[in-house]
Structure formats: structure tokens, C-alpha cells
Amino acid sequence: MSALGSARKRDNKAAYLFLLPWFAGLVLITAGPVTASLVLGFTDYNLIQPPEFNGLENITRMLGDQRLHHALGVTFEYVLISVPLQL
């Protein structure tokens, strides 16, 4: 039973070694930028000054912007008309 346990540990180490690049890519390429975007979404930020927290002001301003409504309308029109025709 001890030989079986050590073989499993070796297999687990090999599996983790093969999964390590995937996890690194997930954190560096996906989770990191998503987290940074989420945090910066609640700040007043430019490249010269440090970010200042402004709460939900960005979201309320975005929801009241007519350009967002137009962009969503165009997107839904595309999805409802163009995608079914192509399929």
C-alpha cells in the first residue's frame, strides 16, 4: 500500500507541474486584469495622478449616457437579426 501511495503522490506532483502554466496564465492574463478593471471602475483615474475612489458615480453616469443606450440597441439588433441569419 505504501508503494501505491508514493506513486499517487508522484502522479499528483506531475499533474500540478503540468497545470502550473495554465494557472499562471489564468492569474496573469485573466484574473489580474479583470480585478484591476473592477477596482479602477470605482475610481476617478488618469495616468498622471493616483486613482481616487468615487464609488458608484462612474456607473450612474454611464447608465445615464445616451451613447450606452445606442450601443446596446445596435448590439441587440445585431444579435437578433444578423446572428440567426448567419446560422
Side-chain angles (χ1 to χ4, degrees):
M1 192 88 176
S2 175
L4 183 61
S6 65
R8 280 190 180 169
K9 286 183 183 180
R10 262 186 315 212
D11 287 345
N12 286 344
K13 287 180 184 178
Y16 291 137
L17 185 64
F18 282 112
L19 287 172
L20 187 62
W22 185 85
F23 283 122
L26 175 70
V27 170
L28 295 174
I29 297 173
T30 304
V34 167
T35 304
S37 296
L38 184 64
V39 169
L40 290 175
F42 293 101
T43 62
D44 183 16
Y45 176 71
N46 61 37
L47 294 175
I48 299 171
Q49 300 170 342
E52 294 180 22
F53 183 76
N54 67 355
L56 298 175
E57 182 181 334
N58 291 341
I59 295 171
T60 56
R61 193 173 64 218
M62 177 186 68
L63 291 176
D65 192 350
Q66 290 300 318
R67 292 178 293 182
L68 173 69
H69 299 224
H70 178 70
L72 290 175
V74 169
T75 301
F76 286 127
E77 181 180 333
Y78 173 77
V79 168
L80 294 175
I81 296 172
S82 180
V83 171
L85 287 176
Q86 290 180 10
L87 290 177

